[in-house]
Amino acid sequence: MIKVTIWNENRHEQKSQEVRDVYPQGIHGAIASFLKEEEFQVKIATLDEEANGLTDEVLNNTDVLLWWGHIAHEEVSDEIVDKVQQRVLEGMGLIVLHSGHFSKIFKKLMGTSCDLKWREANEKERLWIVDPAHPIAEGLGEYIEIEREEMYGEHFDIPAPDELVMVSWFEGGEVFRSGCTYHRGNGKIFYFRPGHETYPTYYHQGVQQVIKNAINWAKPTNLPRPIYGNAKPLEKISVKN
Amino acid sequence: MIKVTIWNENRHEQKSQEVRDVYPQGIHGAIASFLKEEEFQVKIATLDEEANGLTDEVLNNTDVLLWWGHIAHEEVSDEIVDKVQQRVLEGMGLIVLHSGHFSKIFKKLMGTSCDLKWREANEKERLWIVDPAHPIAEGLGEYIEIEREEMYGEHFDIPAPDELVMVSWFEGGEVFRSGCTYHRGNGKIFYFRPGHETYPTYYHQGVQQVIKNAINWAKPTNLPRPIYGNAKPLEKISVKN
Amino acid sequence: MIKVTIWNENRHEQKSQEVRDVYPQGIHGAIASFLKEEEFQVKIATLDEEANGLTDEVLNNTDVLLWWGHIAHEEVSDEIVDKVQQRVLEGMGLIVLHSGHFSKIFKKLMGTSCDLKWREANEKERLWIVDPAHPIAEGLGEYIEIEREEMYGEHFDIPAPDELVMVSWFEGGEVFRSGCTYHRGNGKIFYFRPGHETYPTYYHQGVQQVIKNAINWAKPTNLPRPIYGNAKPLEKISVKN
Amino acid sequence: MIKVTIWNENRHEQKSQEVRDVYPQGIHGAIASFLKEEEFQVKIATLDEEANGLTDEVLNNTDVLLWWGHIAHEEVSDEIVDKVQQRVLEGMGLIVLHSGHFSKIFKKLMGTSCDLKWREANEKERLWIVDPAHPIAEGLGEYIEIEREEMYGEHFDIPAPDELVMVSWFEGGEVFRSGCTYHRGNGKIFYFRPGHETYPTYYHQGVQQVIKNAINWAKPTNLPRPIYGNAKPLEKISVKN
């Protein structure tokens, strides 16, 4: 059973009635709700908890970590970010949602600015599947349509994804690489674009399906972390003068 | 339960006592033997059967096809090759083993010569895992060591793999991209280098583990083949003069 | 000086006054016209010439081949297609334009159906640069806008490009991977989406810039084709029993 | 004319007679020496200079930065590292040599540990070209052979390279991804493995050829940095309730 931890900044929910109206149990609660129907063991962690919710015990007992953050990226401590990075390199899966593109952990793992264009204009998004062989597309059709979302537009300043699974079309004229996979060390990372706090995106069945698929895809591979450092030869080396 | 069909040319086994000594049930028999221990539903198909063993019924009931061929690539009919390609594009997984690099189906799916350097000299091969996050590396260590194998050396004339999982070191001084993944249409392809007919490679636990992992990785994604051709607009197009 | 051969099917131009009105010198003529301003040595080849315009002499004296075809793909002889593939593997660059996606040579080099969605509806296309580091984006801005074009939509059934340079937005609601690079053997391939025969696309400065950049990018690397086949060991192999 | 800055830590040269014997003008001097024969404008920068040798003026006048460091990675200031990263994202090329794999700037741009296996044992390295279409392979043969080098072995903890150009074979039994390209923002990065301070590697003609090729490949693309942040719609967005 895959051990999933949903990390949510959980600040919009405290500050805004509009957000609470959409997500009365928080964004984390909405995500937990549809994950619990599956064979996942789900835990919640939020910014204002001890160690930003990510104690060693939590991290060491997480197979796949989901990350939603927006207005408080800077409040996540650098020490915790380093630990999360270390856990990814050791094999923990990481699924970065929407505005998490600007989180410390995503920027650290990508090595780029992770910047993009954005606009809040109640516009339509259509996520086209461009890699129908990918397990993250399991159970979907040709595209996912979301009636109203925030726009994210190219250029998205990320490394070219190892695999590009989805590309978004926006009503206002932009496109976006919306479903991107990466391997980093022993770990797997998936970035998934939709999920603005004022829209009911996490109740959308297609969005839920992608997140479930991504968890299954990102679960750790059973393989020890490689041995680094000074290494004895495995074969005889000829003597040279 | 994944439906696996092991396709073997099965000619060396008929012609050579040396090969029969290593693989008394054929290469296909040796592979079937360790796959049957797992949750796979295993069938055998060989070149000299009707439709080269790959009738529509067989192909339509195969989730993942394994392919071993060497001296009779040209005897596989073009019609069958076209059908296998079609099935891969529809989602069937394909695992191409060793000398299958020169099979019609692999060359057709790659679009290149698939040529390489080779040598039979009883030499040591060490397959290093270069992508420890990949599910095909599940349960392995840092490398797989095979005491005696045929050498395949670079340049291997293939498209750059979508993911490079293993690189081989050979005693005689060459390297080789030994574990390569590709998506083609809705289907997934894995090329795995070892498996010369005169060596007991398919009894090697590490080799067996890779093949089992590759089957799990290559199983079809549940997603309809996309719709191609003329398409009505999804959005209103402004009239232009 | 890069030797460029522009191959054009040149059939629409013969059959249709509408196309002749847009391209009085043929599509090949329009492309030749803006290439001649640059440091390129430009030749024309068309389907109805001897050897489909691609004699050994022409092919052996081509650094980069541009390919425009549509209604007569099937009339290109298989022998010529094999020779073009061989020349690409030897290092010749190939730039496939628009409806060339369904040409025999592109399908052969890709190994997939190369199918897609399409629509002729006078709609707007906006090609976003998603890889601003790529030399094919040299001298461009954030996107290229084409007022009226044929739509090509995902899923585009190609291998994941080695590098994805551009993604198109279409007014009618689709997206498309519009600028795709591939290495095949010693050769480089670029697929570039726009260029329907009834639109003045090849007079568009941004489109012209991309084609010039792509030629510079696709020129042959000075490197012999690797040596394939049986190879003597470079290092001593220990004797085993 | 490409403006190249060679950054060298220049500490081994000060501390060790053995290194001075191999590189009397420093590693930077040896590299500058063969670059000056080409159409490059070459400058030197070293750790102990003001701003670690990398003032804004130097960085703003650098098209391609070469980086050699080993024992003093930690002495490079974080502020300078941030500026170099920023310049790469703006388009400056970066060529990271040998032990630079553990530099702050490379780790920051990769997002991984960049760890590896290593051994100093006077052993033979053979770098096989696995992508003969790549311009970084220009003018080479099938491989580069270096009689004595330090060994670097897999697993090399880097993101899968955008393009893998070379793979090393080592006498002691290891392999290594030795020539790796990346795009990050508007900039291009090349990691090149050889170059231990006690071996005359930078006098090797093949090694010199690769570095020259890499500079030509990594030069900035003429394209403005994309515009990020809030964006007005390019198309009319329908009103929704």
Side-chain angles (χ1 to χ4, degrees):
Chain A
M1 195 180 258
I2 302 175
K3 289 176 277 184
V4 178
T5 300
I6 305 168
W7 189 90
N8 184 16
E9 184 184 279
N10 193 30
R11 286 284 171 83
H12 286 293
E13 291 91 334
Q14 295 178 53
K15 289 171 188 242
S16 157
Q17 185 60 44
E18 185 190 4
V19 174
R20 276 196 300 274
D21 286 348
V22 184
Y23 294 113
Q25 315 301 324
I27 289 174
H28 52 280
I31 295 174
S33 175
F34 67 80
L35 292 184
K36 279 173 179 164
E37 303 159 15
E38 304 290 310
E39 298 257 316
F40 302 130
Q41 184 182 314
V42 179
K43 271 176 287 191
I44 302 292
T46 57
L47 177 62
D48 291 332
E49 295 174 287
E50 185 204 336
N52 304 150
L54 297 171
T55 60
D56 291 358
E57 205 200 320
V58 169
L59 283 174
N60 292 334
N61 284 287
T62 299
D63 290 325
V64 180
L65 179 66
L66 274 64
W67 194 278
W68 199 103
H70 184 208
I71 48 174
H73 292 316
E74 288 312 306
E75 296 183 43
V76 180
S77 88
D78 290 340
E79 190 197 341
I80 295 299
V81 172
D82 288 350
K83 284 183 179 182
V84 174
Q85 180 192 30
Q86 189 54 36
R87 281 287 297 137
V88 169
L89 298 181
E90 287 167 12
M92 183 182 75
L94 177 69
I95 297 173
V96 175
L97 297 168
H98 189 62
S99 44
H101 75 92
F102 250 0
S103 61
K104 286 182 178 178
I105 183 61
F106 191 60
K107 290 197 285 188
K108 190 169 192 108
L109 285 161
M110 296 294 105
T112 53
S113 75
C114 300
D115 214 340
L116 45 76
K117 286 185 165 62
W118 61 271
R119 176 174 61 237
E120 296 183 44
N122 284 334
E123 72 197 277
K124 190 187 285 183
E125 174 177 16
R126 186 177 291 111
L127 298 98
W128 288 92
I129 309 300
V130 300
D131 184 356
H134 204 284
I136 291 179
E138 175 89 17
L140 301 175
E142 293 203 292
Y143 56 79
I144 295 171
E145 196 170 299
I146 303 177
E147 202 52 35
R148 293 190 238 186
E149 251 291 353
E150 184 182 3
M151 184 283 293
Y152 279 6
E154 296 282 348
H155 176 245
F156 186 17
D157 189 22
I158 47 168
D162 292 354
E163 300 164 313
L164 178 63
V165 185
M166 280 170 268
V167 172
S168 284
W169 175 97
F170 285 98
E171 204 177 345
E174 290 86 359
V175 298
F176 197 75
R177 289 168 291 168
S178 280
C180 299
T181 78
Y182 299 93
H183 290 186
R184 291 293 181 269
N186 280 33
K188 294 187 265 293
I189 300 169
F190 182 61
Y191 175 79
F192 187 42
R193 199 214 74 82
H196 189 62
E197 66 273 8
T198 60
Y199 299 113
T201 300
Y202 292 114
Y203 301 113
H204 187 296
Q205 204 183 354
V207 169
Q208 294 182 357
Q209 185 66 46
V210 169
I211 293 173
K212 291 174 198 170
N213 293 344
I215 292 169
N216 280 305
W217 171 84
K219 70 172 181 282
T221 298
N222 173 24
L223 190 78
R225 181 92 168 123
I227 299 161
Y228 298 110
N230 190 248
K232 292 217 158 51
L234 299 160
E235 305 291 330
K236 194 170 160 25
I237 294 168
S238 62
V239 181
K240 296 188 191 70
N241 296 307
Chain B
M1 195 180 258
I2 301 174
K3 289 176 276 184
V4 178
T5 300
I6 304 167
W7 189 91
N8 184 16
E9 185 183 279
N10 194 29
R11 285 285 171 82
H12 286 293
E13 291 90 334
Q14 295 177 53
K15 289 174 187 238
S16 157
Q17 186 59 45
E18 185 190 4
V19 174
R20 274 195 302 275
D21 286 348
V22 182
Y23 294 113
Q25 315 300 325
I27 288 173
H28 52 281
I31 294 173
S33 175
F34 66 80
L35 292 184
K36 279 172 180 164
E37 302 159 15
E38 305 289 311
E39 299 256 317
F40 301 129
Q41 184 182 315
V42 179
K43 272 175 285 191
I44 302 291
T46 57
L47 177 61
D48 292 332
E49 295 174 287
E50 185 203 336
N52 304 150
L54 298 170
T55 60
D56 291 358
E57 206 202 320
V58 168
L59 283 174
N60 292 334
N61 285 286
T62 299
D63 291 324
V64 180
L65 179 65
L66 274 64
W67 195 280
W68 200 102
H70 185 208
I71 48 175
H73 293 315
E74 288 312 307
E75 295 182 43
V76 180
S77 89
D78 290 339
E79 190 197 342
I80 296 298
V81 171
D82 288 350
K83 285 183 178 181
V84 174
Q85 179 192 30
Q86 191 53 36
R87 282 287 297 138
V88 169
L89 298 180
E90 287 167 14
M92 184 182 75
L94 177 68
I95 297 173
V96 176
L97 297 168
H98 188 62
S99 45
H101 76 91
F102 250 179
S103 62
K104 285 182 178 178
I105 183 61
F106 191 60
K107 290 197 285 187
K108 189 168 193 107
L109 284 161
M110 296 293 107
T112 53
S113 76
C114 300
D115 214 340
L116 45 77
K117 288 184 164 61
W118 61 272
R119 175 174 62 237
E120 297 184 42
N122 284 335
E123 72 196 278
K124 190 187 285 183
E125 174 177 16
R126 185 177 292 110
L127 298 99
W128 288 92
I129 309 302
V130 300
D131 185 355
H134 204 285
I136 291 180
E138 175 89 17
L140 301 175
E142 292 204 292
Y143 57 79
I144 295 171
E145 196 170 300
I146 304 177
E147 202 51 35
R148 294 190 238 186
E149 250 292 352
E150 184 182 2
M151 184 282 293
Y152 279 6
E154 295 283 348
H155 176 246
F156 185 17
D157 190 22
I158 48 169
D162 292 353
E163 300 164 313
L164 178 63
V165 186
M166 280 170 269
V167 172
S168 285
W169 176 97
F170 285 98
E171 203 178 346
E174 289 87 358
V175 297
F176 198 74
R177 289 169 291 169
S178 279
C180 299
T181 79
Y182 299 93
H183 290 186
R184 290 294 181 268
N186 281 31
K188 294 185 265 292
I189 301 169
F190 182 61
Y191 175 79
F192 187 42
R193 200 216 73 84
H196 189 62
E197 66 273 7
T198 60
Y199 299 113
T201 299
Y202 292 113
Y203 301 113
H204 188 296
Q205 204 183 353
V207 169
Q208 293 181 358
Q209 184 68 44
V210 169
I211 294 173
K212 290 174 198 172
N213 292 344
I215 292 168
N216 280 305
W217 170 84
K219 69 172 182 284
T221 298
N222 174 24
L223 190 78
R225 182 91 168 124
I227 298 160
Y228 299 109
N230 190 247
K232 291 219 158 50
L234 299 160
E235 305 291 331
K236 195 168 160 26
I237 294 168
S238 61
V239 180
K240 298 187 191 69
N241 297 306
Chain C
M1 195 179 259
I2 302 174
K3 289 176 277 185
V4 177
T5 300
I6 304 168
W7 190 90
N8 184 16
E9 186 184 278
N10 194 28
R11 286 284 172 82
H12 286 294
E13 291 90 333
Q14 295 177 54
K15 289 172 187 240
S16 157
Q17 186 59 46
E18 185 191 4
V19 174
R20 274 197 302 274
D21 287 347
V22 184
Y23 295 113
Q25 315 300 326
I27 289 173
H28 52 280
I31 295 173
S33 175
F34 66 81
L35 292 184
K36 278 173 181 165
E37 303 159 15
E38 305 289 313
E39 298 257 316
F40 301 129
Q41 185 182 313
V42 179
K43 272 175 285 190
I44 302 291
T46 56
L47 176 62
D48 292 331
E49 295 173 288
E50 185 204 338
N52 303 149
L54 298 170
T55 60
D56 291 358
E57 205 200 321
V58 169
L59 282 174
N60 292 333
N61 284 287
T62 298
D63 291 326
V64 180
L65 179 65
L66 274 63
W67 194 279
W68 199 102
H70 185 208
I71 49 174
H73 293 315
E74 288 312 306
E75 295 182 43
V76 180
S77 89
D78 290 340
E79 191 196 342
I80 296 298
V81 172
D82 288 349
K83 285 183 178 181
V84 174
Q85 179 192 30
Q86 190 53 37
R87 282 286 298 137
V88 169
L89 298 181
E90 287 167 14
M92 184 181 75
L94 177 68
I95 297 173
V96 176
L97 297 168
H98 189 62
S99 45
H101 76 90
F102 251 180
S103 62
K104 285 182 178 178
I105 183 60
F106 191 60
K107 290 197 285 186
K108 190 169 192 107
L109 284 161
M110 295 294 107
T112 53
S113 75
C114 300
D115 214 341
L116 46 74
K117 287 185 165 60
W118 60 271
R119 176 175 61 237
E120 296 182 43
N122 284 335
E123 71 196 279
K124 190 186 289 182
E125 175 178 16
R126 186 177 292 112
L127 298 98
W128 288 91
I129 309 300
V130 299
D131 185 357
H134 204 285
I136 291 180
E138 176 88 17
L140 301 175
E142 292 204 292
Y143 56 80
I144 295 171
E145 196 170 300
I146 304 176
E147 202 52 34
R148 291 191 241 185
E149 251 291 352
E150 184 182 4
M151 184 283 294
Y152 279 5
E154 296 281 350
H155 176 245
F156 186 16
D157 190 23
I158 48 169
D162 292 354
E163 299 163 313
L164 178 64
V165 185
M166 278 169 270
V167 173
S168 285
W169 176 97
F170 285 98
E171 204 177 344
E174 289 86 359
V175 298
F176 197 74
R177 288 169 292 169
S178 278
C180 298
T181 79
Y182 299 93
H183 289 187
R184 290 294 182 267
N186 281 32
K188 294 186 265 293
I189 301 169
F190 182 61
Y191 175 79
F192 187 42
R193 199 214 74 83
H196 190 62
E197 66 273 7
T198 59
Y199 300 113
T201 300
Y202 293 113
Y203 302 113
H204 188 296
Q205 204 183 353
V207 169
Q208 293 181 358
Q209 185 66 45
V210 169
I211 293 172
K212 291 174 198 171
N213 293 344
I215 292 169
N216 280 305
W217 170 83
K219 69 172 183 282
T221 299
N222 173 23
L223 189 79
R225 181 91 167 123
I227 298 161
Y228 298 109
N230 190 248
K232 291 218 159 49
L234 299 161
E235 305 290 330
K236 194 167 158 29
I237 294 169
S238 62
V239 180
K240 296 188 192 70
N241 297 306
Chain D
M1 195 180 258
I2 302 174
K3 289 176 277 185
V4 178
T5 300
I6 304 168
W7 190 90
N8 185 16
E9 184 185 278
N10 193 29
R11 286 286 171 82
H12 285 294
E13 291 90 334
Q14 296 178 53
K15 289 172 188 242
S16 156
Q17 186 58 46
E18 185 190 3
V19 173
R20 276 196 301 274
D21 286 348
V22 183
Y23 295 113
Q25 315 301 325
I27 288 173
H28 52 280
I31 294 173
S33 175
F34 67 80
L35 292 184
K36 280 172 181 165
E37 303 159 16
E38 305 289 313
E39 299 257 315
F40 301 129
Q41 184 182 315
V42 179
K43 272 176 287 191
I44 301 292
T46 57
L47 177 61
D48 292 331
E49 295 174 287
E50 186 203 337
N52 303 151
L54 298 171
T55 60
D56 290 358
E57 205 201 319
V58 169
L59 282 174
N60 292 333
N61 284 288
T62 299
D63 291 326
V64 180
L65 179 65
L66 274 63
W67 195 279
W68 200 104
H70 185 208
I71 48 174
H73 292 316
E74 288 311 307
E75 295 182 43
V76 181
S77 88
D78 289 340
E79 191 197 342
I80 295 298
V81 171
D82 287 350
K83 285 184 178 182
V84 174
Q85 180 192 30
Q86 190 52 36
R87 282 286 298 138
V88 169
L89 298 181
E90 287 167 13
M92 184 181 74
L94 177 68
I95 298 174
V96 176
L97 298 168
H98 188 63
S99 44
H101 75 91
F102 250 1
S103 61
K104 285 182 178 178
I105 182 61
F106 191 59
K107 290 197 286 187
K108 189 169 192 107
L109 284 161
M110 295 293 107
T112 52
S113 75
C114 299
D115 213 340
L116 45 75
K117 288 185 164 61
W118 62 271
R119 176 175 61 236
E120 296 183 44
N122 284 334
E123 71 197 279
K124 190 187 287 182
E125 175 177 15
R126 185 176 292 111
L127 297 99
W128 287 92
I129 310 301
V130 300
D131 185 356
H134 204 285
I136 291 181
E138 177 88 17
L140 301 175
E142 292 204 292
Y143 56 79
I144 295 170
E145 196 170 300
I146 303 176
E147 202 52 34
R148 292 190 239 186
E149 251 291 352
E150 184 182 3
M151 183 284 293
Y152 278 6
E154 296 282 348
H155 176 244
F156 185 18
D157 190 22
I158 48 169
D162 292 353
E163 300 164 312
L164 178 64
V165 185
M166 280 170 270
V167 172
S168 286
W169 176 98
F170 286 97
E171 204 177 345
E174 288 87 359
V175 298
F176 198 75
R177 288 169 291 169
S178 279
C180 298
T181 79
Y182 298 93
H183 290 187
R184 290 293 181 268
N186 280 32
K188 294 185 265 294
I189 301 169
F190 182 61
Y191 175 80
F192 187 42
R193 199 215 74 82
H196 189 62
E197 66 273 7
T198 59
Y199 299 113
T201 299
Y202 292 114
Y203 301 113
H204 187 296
Q205 204 183 354
V207 169
Q208 293 181 357
Q209 185 66 46
V210 169
I211 293 172
K212 290 174 198 171
N213 293 344
I215 292 168
N216 280 305
W217 171 84
K219 70 171 182 283
T221 299
N222 173 23
L223 189 79
R225 182 91 168 123
I227 298 161
Y228 299 109
N230 191 248
K232 292 217 159 50
L234 300 160
E235 306 290 331
K236 194 168 158 28
I237 295 169
S238 62
V239 180
K240 296 186 192 72
N241 297 305

